[in-house]
Amino acid sequence: MDTAPSSAPASPAPTDRRRRKVALAAALASAVEWYDYFVFGIAAALVLGDLYFPAGSSSAGVLAAFATFAVGFLARPVGGVIAGQLGDRRGRKPMLVLALTLMGIATLGIGLLPTYATIGIAAPLLLVLLRVLQGIAVGAQWGGAMLMATEYAPEGKRGLYGSLVQLGVPIGVVTANTVFLLAGAFTSDAAFAAWGWRVPFLVGFLVLGLAWYIHTRVEETPAFQEAERALAEQEKSEPRSPLRTILRHHLGTVLLAGGSFAVNTATFYIIITGVLDYATRELDMKRSAVLAVSLCVSLTQLVLIPAAAALSDRIGRLRIYALGAVGLLVWAVPMFLLIDTASLLWLAVGTFVTSCFLSIMYGPQAALFAELFTAEMRYTGASLGYQIAAVLGGGLAPFVMVLLLEATGTSMAVSAYIVVLAVVALISIRILARRAASR
């Protein structure tokens, strides 16, 4: 059921040591980038509404903060397109370095940004601008990191190597939650609201050091080098545009990729951001306890994601991918029934099972998306598919969750939202499987 991978490069295979070095650098790049991205989501659920959008009710402030959170997702396709175009023409590594640098600058800016009480309307406007820069950065990063890992992978291990980049998500969640827990533990509520919440953003500035390391110590991928040689002469006579090629001939594949993954990214942001707001504001659960549950649940993904990816190397990407989507479809209602008990134990059980199904999908996703496109358009195509899913699912999910809860008064509306996205995912996966079988 797998899609056919692109042809192997003619250049000599990299050494095992070089493969491991590049895979580790790509995984670290993903981890620090996602850490910077996730601290905003946690801060949006806890403090940004009051500090930057003070007018109106608490729900209005949270909605405004989550809307700013969503703006970062709307910017992600922009980063994916720009980096995809340049990454398919100039190389994976330069775009990854640029993405890390931009993320470091934007994250530091948020950590130092004065609040509404200090500079008025300029505060939320600048917050939105910095969030847009974060979105562009993470949109550019994923394709570069994923391709650095998968295009260096040895034969038969593309799924496993790609999952190392996917591990950046749970690592980012764990570290973001840990830093917020520590900031809350060592400050009073007043001090946390005044300056403690800024500490995680200032820590994220260390991403610039990793950008410099990759720039100076990591080489370009063999697959890109081979594609670059093969297309050098064609480029001279007819400059190529990976984006134009994708839009003319592969748009359907991009949309199917996005449709297949939207349920994953939406459910993920619901459980790490939306549920944090819901549990603390609506169910009166303690902030530190809910953050601790999110941290522990994310730790389990460090095992499940590579396990699912390694299994996909043996029995097929789409089989594993579809299993995760079915699980999210079936578990959407039980998850919120458990959360609504306001019991920490049942919250942990509900989100843990959800996290298992998310991991089953997320593990093989990098290799699956890479194999949908050839090397000369892979950065653009895979990035667009992923970022479309991020906009349709992740960016709007916490915002939609609050709206649904306010409009209906029941969490079952959020479960229905997940079910609809899961059905879309299964239809998309089915079409991709038929296309793969017909090749």
Side-chain angles (χ1 to χ4, degrees), residues 97-135:
V97 171
L98 179 61
L100 289 168
T101 303
L102 183 60
M103 179 62 85
I105 293 171
T107 302
L108 178 64
I110 295 171
L112 298 176
L113 184 64
T115 64
Y116 186 93
T118 304
I119 61 173
I121 192 64
L125 293 177
L126 288 172
L127 184 67
V128 170
L129 174 61
L130 291 168
R131 182 58 179 171
V132 167
L133 293 180
Q134 279 196 320

Side-chain angles (χ1 to χ4, degrees), residues 103-197:
M103 179 62 85
I105 293 171
T107 302
L108 178 64
I110 295 171
L112 298 176
L113 184 64
T115 64
Y116 186 93
T118 304
I119 61 173
I121 192 64
L125 293 177
L126 288 172
L127 184 67
V128 170
L129 174 61
L130 291 168
R131 182 58 179 171
V132 167
L133 293 180
Q134 279 196 320
I136 292 173
V138 83
Q141 172 271 144
W142 181 80
M146 178 270 291
L147 292 178
M148 290 291 289
T150 57
E151 291 184 346
Y152 263 104
E155 188 67 27
K157 293 187 178 180
R158 184 177 287 171
L160 180 60
Y161 270 62
S163 73
L164 298 178
V165 173
Q166 306 296 73
L167 287 177
V169 170
I171 292 173
V173 173
V174 168
T175 51
N177 277 279
T178 299
V179 175
F180 265 103
L181 281 169
L182 291 174
F186 288 98
T187 60
S188 64
D189 288 344
F192 181 83
W195 59 267
W197 67 271

Side-chain angles (χ1 to χ4, degrees), residues 188-368:
S188 64
D189 288 344
F192 181 83
W195 59 267
W197 67 271
R198 298 181 183 275
V199 173
F201 289 92
L202 301 180
V203 171
F205 183 61
L206 297 176
V207 68
L208 294 181
L210 181 60
W212 177 251
Y213 174 83
I214 293 176
H215 174 66
T216 57
R217 300 295 181 87
V218 176
E219 298 179 15
E220 189 54 78
T221 71
F224 175 76
Q225 292 175 4
E226 183 65 20
E228 187 178 40
R229 284 192 293 269
L231 292 166
E233 292 303 319
Q234 177 185 344
E235 183 85 6
K236 293 176 183 178
S237 60
E238 182 183 352
R240 62 190 178 96
S241 169
L243 179 61
R244 187 183 303 118
T245 302
I246 288 290
L247 295 179
R248 286 182 178 178
H249 305 293
H250 303 279
L251 181 59
T253 302
V254 169
L255 294 177
L256 288 170
S260 74
F261 195 63
V263 65
N264 186 289
T265 187
T267 307
F268 174 78
Y269 283 103
I270 283 172
I271 68 170
I272 71 158
T273 301
V275 168
L276 176 59
D277 165 65
Y278 178 61
T280 55
R281 186 166 57 88
E282 299 289 344
L283 303 180
D284 294 322
M285 300 179 73
K286 291 184 177 180
R287 178 186 67 201
S288 60
V290 178
L291 282 171
V293 167
S294 179
L295 187 153
C296 293
V297 167
S298 296
L299 283 173
T300 64
Q301 293 185 312
L302 299 178
V303 176
L304 294 172
I305 287 175
L311 188 59
S312 79
D313 282 329
R314 300 180 60 185
I315 68 174
R317 316 264 183 245
L318 289 171
R319 287 190 179 95
I320 302 300
Y321 201 58
L323 176 62
V326 170
L328 293 176
L329 173 68
V330 172
W331 189 247
V333 171
M335 176 181 72
F336 269 102
L337 290 176
L338 294 175
I339 291 172
D340 284 343
T341 65
S343 161
L344 198 62
L345 173 62
W346 292 122
L347 170 70
V349 171
T351 54
F352 168 71
V353 175
T354 304
S355 178
C356 291
F357 293 126
L358 290 174
S359 300
I360 290 171
M361 284 192 77
Y362 203 58
Q365 184 247 347
L368 172 63

